[in-house]
């Protein structure tokens, strides 16, 4: 496989010992298997996430991402910035869009960046892409399928795409209402994708899980229920916040709604890592609150 | 910020729509809504909104400034972008909702102790002081936002989850002392301060220049 | 025609020979059908098969060709021979494809096929090759009545196609409503906002063309004749008159706005500052881009409220129940005038409708210009102290609201400027004759407020083109939108249905081309839609006629006049060849050369009738050739099965069904008769407008005949079907077969 290099930053939740610590470990294992080198942007900052609007207005919020863009340009030239996190991806792309098309916002951002000797210019920014885009467009799902060391036979997986990896930008060629890439990825590593997973692109309540737990948990309940209805052994997602919300509140949900949920929620990177022969630990499976036993067993084989 | 609010009332006496167009993120789109209701029907927490997006857009045109800016509605946006994906008129509804929420807060009109509003502020403060989010501190701050007693109760209720997160190495108690930060914290602080000034100036200028 | 010589040709292709004994079909044709020549061919529609038939025509003197093979709707180009009649026995779509390929079914399938051969031969005996009436003449000149945008478009298009035009306008100048407009909604690229209506350009183009003769201040005093030879008398305001001969007519008389004074609850008639759209348009034209000044005090308007659907889309008495289609975009346009002059404009609507390819973009242009759109229902408009107060219910926010405006514009609807409904006029005449005062009063009320005659047709069935609803002229809205119910007269623009300028121009172009086609058809003696090209036309045997006038009254197209001796006077070029007159005639003296009481009657009698105890009933289906018969063919193509006891005869229109056929069928032992025609009524699909309705009416009286014969009334049934009823029709047939099984066989089998 051809060697590839990208600029990137992990995002807050995927830092060491943060809530998606295991994601990054599996992503690293996957990149290692696929011969991808991710060069971290030195001193990157938070993107502001979707909830940042409350404290920061348009220009402060977008300045954050603009700083990351400017740093990447400075350190890694025109290399694409790979965002493993949907919120980072959207925020950075949004910043690029506004800089590109809204002169007032661009001037404001540059005034702020000038304080630290940076600048962003239209048509001069590196492209920001989601890690999934990199896999689908640069590597190709066929290549991933062909290079795997073992097939994840016997697993039925609900591909939960969620919102922000899907909207408003989405992956080129996919529909907003029924994107297929995650199912295709599941099939590429030899597992069975739940057909017509009813809550594939439903909202997990995002950051509102913290502020409106009751309403958020009701949404997650439906997401899990639909996965069970589809006969799933586990749920796979590309999104850190989705993973956290769907996996870690199952005890609360069971208490609140009298359900008996206990379904593992993993990342696509973990599936690929295991299919490429990585150990359970390398694939970050020790980071599951609800153990993905079947996947661990396959990793051990 | 009530002073700014007063100034805005003076300036846009009869047209809240113009105020939104000038001062709210992506506000110039509001007039393009054709009132189909697809956004409201697509919103995951839609049933909990006092005024779902379609209605908010109509209220803006109907000059209902206070009712819009004091509403808790926009704070129920989960940023799922479903409305944007579906709006036949291509309105960036999510951004407008964020913009309205942020603007109402700036003018001091946002409802008091709205949970999402408080959480969002805590989150922003974390970024502003470290450049990165400190999940543990945010979690604790959130639990203790209503005072110490309530905080202990909240923390006890969530202790299982906390333990699980620590066991799986997805949360680090040592975060409390320092934790993830950027190196150039002071630079980021300067940048954000400047950005805030520019934004406030734009509003204070009555949005002169686009 | 010389002696009759029938040649019957049995095709063995398309699986026919595998399913049927074609040898015996040949002998049925020669023995029962009296065909002089009977031949089989492996592949009749190929060049060799066609050549074989042509040889018989040329060498053997065959003059009645019977093709036994596929449906009459298939292979029409291969099977078209000059100077001979043609009958088709449908064994493919009508027999083998609707019957199962099983041993048990073989016998009844063969019987079915043999009957169709007998029927086709029987028909052949009574067919003639249509001959010209000698009435034809080619006149490449049309008259256009109405000099608005629709009329001018029709005139220009006809002139472009090399036709002369007589353009009649009752006002003193061309341009109609459009000439009073400041700007128009563009036909393309709505994002650009309102554009110049360019009416002067059209007027110039017309004035510079010598082939268009414009008559201003003129009306049509009389129209007589038929397509290809209309004679019109034109009368000018000053009293002078002139004559013209034209081949066809386009009526583009447009509309007037609904009277605003009928809407006092919306402020209509209460203040000069409450106007209709045309009124506002004239103010905008006067302002010519500057601030619009209101009529009451000349104040520059700062805030204008547009009230949509004023007195329309409303069931309230006196209101228009329909949507006029253009008024939402028109209000958007006018609101943009206000915005452009620096004012504020609000459009209050219930449903905002912006039809047309560019309507949606135009709406966006209005929104971009800052027009406020509110979904609101206006409850009152009051005038007080220099302001017009509009109270409405905001339907989105669900609350009462008020807007104080400088002016209010009411979007009222279009009232078509058609002439009076001829049938109401005729009814009125006869009611007056009978001194039926109640009916006279009722009809007078219906006609009140209408417009004087436009064409003054010298027709037995009244002076103008018939209406469909609400004064709009009748046309088959799906299949032949331009055809009115007076052949050679085409209505275009808002007189036909409500429409905007872009649509009116397109409509007028279509109408002009149809008018040209009518002239060319008339010259050749050919029919217009839907039997386009048909050369036959109705003839009648004067000696038998009882002057009952049924034919003149029932012809849906007003084609029949009366001569001085009160006999029907047929007009070939006005006739659409539906045969409704033939179905109507109680003494059966009307016929076409290639379609008559005999051609159908003999077919149904030619069927071999098994006796009462054979358990083989016979069902006759008379199927309209426009929808029911194609649907039956498609049932065959999709291999739906239906009863082998059925015998289908296509008819031109259910209107052509003469009740004698039903009586004959019952007398010859048929156990059931089914009539299948198109939908009737206001939303009719009948290709001849009234044919299906007439048939249903006539069949409602057939019960007498049945009870005289002591037969159950379920044995005769009439159905409305459509071309898509591919599964329903076989089911109807099978249900009928089952019903006959229950009530038993007819005793009339001899
Ligand atoms: S979906 Fe778009 S056009 Fe429809 S109501 Fe919402 S914002 Fe308006
Ligand atoms: S982005 Fe916000 S407003 Fe839009 S549908 Fe999602 S939650 Fe609702
Ligand atoms: S065939 Fe039809 S159109 Fe012609 S005269 Fe008879 S009823 Fe009228």
């Amino acid at each position: 496989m051809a060697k590839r290099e990208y600029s990137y930053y992990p995002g807050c939740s995927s830092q060491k010992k943060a809530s998606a610590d295991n994601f990054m470990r599996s992503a690293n294992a996957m990149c290692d298997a696929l011969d991808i080198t991710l060069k971290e942007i030195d001193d990157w900052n938070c993107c502001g996430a979707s909830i940042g609007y409350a404290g920061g207005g348009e220009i402060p919020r977008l300045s954050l991402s603009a700083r990351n863009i400017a740093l990447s340009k400075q350190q890694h030239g025109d290399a694409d910035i790979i965002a493993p996190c949907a919120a980072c991806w959207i925020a950075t792309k949004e910043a690029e869009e506004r800089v590109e098309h809204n002169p007032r916002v661009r001037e404001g951002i540059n005034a702020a960046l000038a304080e630290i000797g940076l600048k962003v210019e239209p048509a001069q920014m590196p492209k920001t892409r989601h890690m999934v885009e990199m896999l689908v467009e640069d590597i190709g799902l066929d290549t991933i399928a062909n290079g795997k060391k073992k097939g994840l036979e016997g697993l039925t997986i609900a591909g939960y795409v969620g919102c922000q990896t899907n909207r408003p930008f989405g992956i080129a060629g996919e529909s907003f209402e029924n994107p297929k890439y995650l199912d295709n990825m599941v099939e590429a590593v030899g597992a069975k994708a739940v057909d017509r997973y009813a809550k594939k692109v439903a909202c997990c309540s995002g950051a509102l899980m913290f502020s409106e737990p009751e309403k958020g948990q009701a949404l997650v309940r439906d997401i899990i229920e639909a996965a069970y209805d589809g006969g799933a052994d586990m749920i796979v997602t590309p999104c850190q916040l989705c993973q956290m919300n769907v996996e870690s509140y199952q005890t609360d949900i069971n208490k609140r709604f009298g359900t008996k949920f206990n379904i593992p929620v993993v990342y696509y990177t973990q599936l690929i890592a295991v299919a490429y022969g990585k150990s359970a630990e390398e694939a970050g499976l020790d980071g599951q609150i609800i153990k993905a036993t079947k996947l661990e067993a396959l990793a051990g084989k | 910020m009530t002073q700014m609010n007063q100034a805005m009332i003076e300036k846009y006496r009869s047209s809240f729509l113009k105020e939104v167009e000038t001062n709210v993120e992506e506000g110039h789109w509001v007039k393009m809504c054709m009132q189909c209701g697809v956004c409201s029907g697509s919103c995951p927490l839609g049933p909990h909104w006092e005024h779902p997006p379609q209605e908010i857009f109509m209220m803006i045109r109907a000059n209902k400034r206070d009712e819009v800016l004091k509403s808790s509605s926009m704070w129920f946006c989960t940023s799922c972008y479903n409305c944007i994906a579906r709006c036949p008129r291509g309105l960036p509804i999510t951004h407008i909702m964020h913009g309205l929420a942020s603007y109402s807060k700036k003018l001091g009109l946002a409802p008091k102790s709205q949970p999402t509003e408080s959480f969002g502020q805590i989150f922003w403060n974390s970024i502003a002081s470290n450049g990165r989010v400190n999940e543990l501190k945010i979690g604790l701050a959130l639990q203790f936002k209503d005072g110490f007693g309530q905080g202990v109760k909240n923390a006890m209720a969530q202790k299982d989850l906390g333990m699980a997160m620590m066991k799986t190495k997805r949360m680090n108690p040592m975060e409390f002392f320092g934790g993830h930060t950027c190196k150039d914290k002071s630079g980021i602080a300067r940048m954000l301060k400047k950005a805030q000034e520019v934004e406030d100036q734009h509003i204070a200028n009555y949005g002169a220049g686009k | 025609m010389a002696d009759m010589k029938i040649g019957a040709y049995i095709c063995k292709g398309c699986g026919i020979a595998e399913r049927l004994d074609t040898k015996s079909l040949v002998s049925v044709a020669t023995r029962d059908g009296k065909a002089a020549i009977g031949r089989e061919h492996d592949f009749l529609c190929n060049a060799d098969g066609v050549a074989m038939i042509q040889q018989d025509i040329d060498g053997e003197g065959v003059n009645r060709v019977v093709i036994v093979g596929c449906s009459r709707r298939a292979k029409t180009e291969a099977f078209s021979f000059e100077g001979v009649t043609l009958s088709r026995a449908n064994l493919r779509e009508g027999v083998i494809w609707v019957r199962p390929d099983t041993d048990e079914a073989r016998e009844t399938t063969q019987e079915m096929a043999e009957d169709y051969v007998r029927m086709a031969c029987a028909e052949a005996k009574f067919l003639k090759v249509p001959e010209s009436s000698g009435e034809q003449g080619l006149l490449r000149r049309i008259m256009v009545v109405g000099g608005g945008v629709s009329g001018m478009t029709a005139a220009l298009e006809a002139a472009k196609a090399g036709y002369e035009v007589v353009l009649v306008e009752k006002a003193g100048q061309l341009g109609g409503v459009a000439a009073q407009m400041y700007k128009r909604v563009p036909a393309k690229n709505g994002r650009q906002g309102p554009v110049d209506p360019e009416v002067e350009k059209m007027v110039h183009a017309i004035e510079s063309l010598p082939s268009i003769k414009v008559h201003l201040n003129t009306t049509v005093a009389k129209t007589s004749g038929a397509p290809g030879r209309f004679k019109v008398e034109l009368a000018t305001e000053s009293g002078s008159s002139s004559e013209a001969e034209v081949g066809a007519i386009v009526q583009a008389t447009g509309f007037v706005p609904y009277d605003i004074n009928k809407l006092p609850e919306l402020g209509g008639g209460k203040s000069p500052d409450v106007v209709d759209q045309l009124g506002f348009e004239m103010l905008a034209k006067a302002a010519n881009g500057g601030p619009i000044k209101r009529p009451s005090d000349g104040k520059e308007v700062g805030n204008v409220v547009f009230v949509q659907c004023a007195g329309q889309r409303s069931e309230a008495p006196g209101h228009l129940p329909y949507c006029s289609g253009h008024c939402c975009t028109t209000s958007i346009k006018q609101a943009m005038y206000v915005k452009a002059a620096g004012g504020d404009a609000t459009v209050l609507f219930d449903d905002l409708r912006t039809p047309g390819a560019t309507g949606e973009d135009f709406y966006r242009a209005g929104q971009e210009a800052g027009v406020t759109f509110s979904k609101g229902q206006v409850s009152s408009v009051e005038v007080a102290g220099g302001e017009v107060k509009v109270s409405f219910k905001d339907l989105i926010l669900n609350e009462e609201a008020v807007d104080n405006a400088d002016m209010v514009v009411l979007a009222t609807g279009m009232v078509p400027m058609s002439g009076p409904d001829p049938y109401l006029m005729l009814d009125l005449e006869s009611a007056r004759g009978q001194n039926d005062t109640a009916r006279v009063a009722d009809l007078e009320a219906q006609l009140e407020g209408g417009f004087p005659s436009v064409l003054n047709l010298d027709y037995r069935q009244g002076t103008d083109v018939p209406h469909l609803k609400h004064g709009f002229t009748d046309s088959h809205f799906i299949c032949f939108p331009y055809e009115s119910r007076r052949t050679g007269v085409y209505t275009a623009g808002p007189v036909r249905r409500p429409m905007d300028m872009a649509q009116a121009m397109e409509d007028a172009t279509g109408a002009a081309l149809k008018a040209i086609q009518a002239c060319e058809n008339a010259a050749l003696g050919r029919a217009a839609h839907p039997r386009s090209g048909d050369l036959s036309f109705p003839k009648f045997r004067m000696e038998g006629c009882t002057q009952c006038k049924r034919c003149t009254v029932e012809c849906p197209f007003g084609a029949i006049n009366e001569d001085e001796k009160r006999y029907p006077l047929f007009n070939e070029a006005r006739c659409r060849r539906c045969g409704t007159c033939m179905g109507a005639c109680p003494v059966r003296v009307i016929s076409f050369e290639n379609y008559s009481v005999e051609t159908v009657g003999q077919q149904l009698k030619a069927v071999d009738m098994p006796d009462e105890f054979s358990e083989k009933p016979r069902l006759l289906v008379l199927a309209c050739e426009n929808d029911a018969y194609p649907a039956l063919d498609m049932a065959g193509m999709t291999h739906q099965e239906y009863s082998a006891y059925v015998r289908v005869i296509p008819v031109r229109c259910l209107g052509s069904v003469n009740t004698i056929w039903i009586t004959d069928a019952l007398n010859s032992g048929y156990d059931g008769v089914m009539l299948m025609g198109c939908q009737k009524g206001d939303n009719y699909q009948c290709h001849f407008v009234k044919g299906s309705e007439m048939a249903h009416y006539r069949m409602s009286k057939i019960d007498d005949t049945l009870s005289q014969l002591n037969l159950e009334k379920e044995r005769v049934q009439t159905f409305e079907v459509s071309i898509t009823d591919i599964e329903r029709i076989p089911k109807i047939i099978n249900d009928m077969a089952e019903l006959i099984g229950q009530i038993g066989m007819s005793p009339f089998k001899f």
Side-chain angles (χ1 to χ4, degrees), chain B residues 133-146:
Chain B
V133 163
N134 185 321
E135 289 173 340
L136 179 72
K137 281 191 193 160
I138 290 180
L140 290 176
L142 186 63
Q143 281 162 12
F144 285 87
K145 76 176 169 44
D146 299 323

Side-chain angles (χ1 to χ4, degrees), chain A residues 200-241:
Chain A
K200 187 187 259 185
V201 295
C203 177
C204 71
S205 76
L208 270 73
M209 184 59 96
F210 301 98
S211 48
E212 301 281 355
E214 189 174 335
K215 300 178 181 83
Q217 287 173 19
L219 297 182
V220 170
R221 173 198 53 196
D222 296 347
I223 292 164
I224 297 175
E225 202 166 70
Y228 275 118
D229 288 349
D233 301 315
M234 60 178 71
I235 295 173
V236 65
T237 174
C239 172
Q240 286 75 3
L241 194 52

Side-chain angles (χ1 to χ4, degrees), chain C residues 75 107 169 184 215 265 271 350 405 417 531 648 707:
Chain C
K75 302 286 169 200
E107 179 188 313
E169 166 57 49
R184 63 169 287 203
H215 297 260
E265 67 281 13
S271 156
D350 190 348
M417 286 262 272
R531 290 193 57 83
V648 181
S707 61

